[in-house]
Amino acid sequence: MTQTVLAKPVLPDRHLPLINPFPPSGPAGSDAAPFPSTPGFPDSAFDAGWTAGAASVPGPPVELEVEVEVVYPHLAPDYGRMAECLDDPGLLSGAVAVRVPGTTLLAVPVGEERLGGALRVDRTALGGAVVRALDGLPGFPGVRVRDGGPVRGVLVEWGLSCPDEVGAVTRGRFFGIRRPAPDNPAAGSGWPAPDRRAALLDAVVLDAVARGASAGTLADRGFFPGEPEARAHVTGLGRILTGGPGTRWPGLVHLAVVQGLVPLEPCPPVTVTAEQLGLLHAWAAGASLGRHGVRARLATADVAILRQQLHRVLGARTDAHAVLRGHEAGVLGPADPGPPVRKPARARHRNAPAVFPGRTVTAACPEAPSW
């Protein structure tokens, strides 16, 4: 007795079947139910995808050509909204619209107040066509396709990639969108830097670190060549805030929040124990987990458990994120002690340059950088 196994053609993407790849009926002699035919496509074109036999091999993937068209930017439906939302409406002079099946997408180039751009498409093949359309245009460096996960889908990006960890306010600033901070009006005017783009980059890095981004994440998103450069850059930010000695990342976040450099977002109140609050205060002051365990006379295993409990209560990803969540929940405040801040030596000029890893930052006020 011989059993017949039918192997259907394999599509490379589940979003690609714009046409029916199956013939109106199965191979000769089979009992397969008939499939509806697709007008304009001869049934014989798909017969090669069907094989019979116990060791049958599926046919080759069906390659579908997707064509897009670059048109004038004002033809995009969201052109008017972007003109009102952009910090620099002049960027629209270099924008283009990409007409894809079903809609028209507006692509805005990068600039001093816009570190990167992104478009969401519904499948990878369409994203590749959009990349080919934007590649080489001025203001669209490094056009690429990236998987944004189940929430964002397939993204076409250029410039830097916005870290997933950053808050809504900083995400808007990354893309050059005017979005005022709801709870921290001091945040959002700019870190002291030689140009506005460098100031925006430092603001995004601070917010990403405060919300749990690692040095590897910053490097993967194109902010730095590698993890060592990312760590050195964040260490430089800590030296600027403390006036020289530097601090650990949780202490850096505490100083940044107190000085209004990281916008806060609404957070429901939480209840922490005295031991958990003591650990949170130690992190805000720049102390390490081991040093706090010695001061609190806790065993290594006990202080590790305390750390896990505090992360779970605050919903934090890292120690630095726990400090930020403590401020958002009202557990920490500006009056809580932070890392030691040393007033820098008097300079000959008020706008003396502050040494920064890889570049020079001119601070308008060396004692307290303002946005």
Side-chain angles (χ1 to χ4, degrees), residues 239-250:
R239 291 197 180 109
I240 292 177
L241 291 182
T242 60
T247 181
R248 295 179 177 273
W249 287 21

Side-chain angles (χ1 to χ4, degrees), residues 123-179:
R123 57 186 183 272
T124 305
L126 183 57
V130 174
V131 167
R132 291 189 294 271
L134 297 179
D135 189 24
L137 296 180
F140 296 89
V143 188
R144 61 202 176 273
V145 176
R146 185 175 70 87
D147 184 8
V151 177
R152 295 183 175 89
V154 180
L155 299 177
V156 177
E157 295 182 333
W158 55 94
L160 301 180
S161 296
C162 186
D164 297 334
E165 293 84 357
V166 299
V169 174
T170 303
R171 181 175 297 275
R173 293 190 59 201
F174 176 93
F175 291 109
I177 305 297
R178 290 193 299 266
R179 187 178 300 180

Side-chain angles (χ1 to χ4, degrees), residues 13-369:
D13 193 309
R14 64 184 180 88
H15 298 288
L16 291 183
L18 303 179
I19 59 176
N20 184 4
F22 305 122
S25 61
S30 68
D31 297 328
F35 294 93
S37 178
T38 302
F41 293 91
D43 300 332
S44 60
F46 303 102
D47 290 343
W50 290 81
T51 56
S56 57
V57 179
V62 178
E63 298 292 341
L64 300 178
E65 291 292 336
V66 180
E67 294 185 359
V68 300
E69 182 183 4
V70 177
V71 296
Y72 291 106
H74 66 272
L75 297 179
D78 56 345
Y79 180 84
R81 180 180 62 85
M82 288 296 293
E84 297 176 355
C85 295
L86 282 175
D87 276 329
D88 183 11
L91 291 174
L92 290 176
S93 61
V96 296
V98 183
R99 183 173 292 166
V100 300
T103 185
T104 302
L105 306 174
L106 179 64
V108 181
V110 299
E112 286 189 353
E113 299 183 3
R114 181 177 168 88
L115 298 179
L119 296 176
R120 188 184 328 189
V121 295
D122 59 353
R123 57 186 183 272
T124 305
L126 183 57
V130 174
V131 167
R132 291 189 294 271
L134 297 179
D135 189 24
L137 296 180
F140 296 89
V143 188
R144 61 202 176 273
V145 176
R146 185 175 70 87
D147 184 8
V151 177
R152 295 183 175 89
V154 180
L155 299 177
V156 177
E157 295 182 333
W158 55 94
L160 301 180
S161 296
C162 186
D164 297 334
E165 293 84 357
V166 299
V169 174
T170 303
R171 181 175 297 275
R173 293 190 59 201
F174 176 93
F175 291 109
I177 305 297
R178 290 193 299 266
R179 187 178 300 180
D183 299 326
N184 208 351
S189 58
W191 177 277
D195 53 70
R196 304 177 72 174
R197 180 178 175 83
L200 178 56
L201 186 144
D202 290 342
V204 175
V205 168
L206 263 181
D207 193 90
V209 168
R211 300 188 186 279
S214 63
T217 299
L218 296 176
D220 293 340
R221 295 306 175 92
F223 285 80
F224 306 100
E227 294 187 25
E229 291 82 0
R231 295 192 187 96
H233 191 98
V234 177
T235 301
L237 294 177
R239 291 197 180 109
I240 292 177
L241 291 182
T242 60
T247 181
R248 295 179 177 273
W249 287 21
L252 166 65
V253 171
H254 177 68
L255 291 178
V257 172
V258 170
Q259 297 188 25
L261 305 178
V262 174
L264 301 178
E265 296 186 349
C267 176
V270 297
T271 302
V272 297
T273 64
E275 293 80 6
Q276 294 171 352
L277 183 60
L279 176 58
L280 197 59
H281 283 162
W283 283 339
S288 64
L289 185 67
R291 179 176 290 273
H292 174 72
V294 172
R295 291 178 178 177
R297 297 182 178 181
L298 295 174
T300 304
D302 294 337
V303 74
I305 294 175
L306 183 63
R307 176 188 189 181
Q308 295 176 356
Q309 293 174 347
L310 184 57
H311 281 193
R312 183 168 60 251
V313 169
L314 295 174
R317 306 181 186 93
T318 61
D319 300 346
H321 190 205
V323 172
L324 176 66
R325 296 287 291 177
H327 279 280
E328 293 178 338
V331 179
L332 290 177
D336 292 318
V341 177
R342 183 179 64 192
K343 184 176 295 186
R346 184 180 299 274
R348 291 181 299 175
H349 302 286
R350 180 173 178 81
N351 291 334
V355 178
F356 207 82
R359 56 187 171 86
T360 300
V361 177
T362 302
C365 179
E367 293 84 0

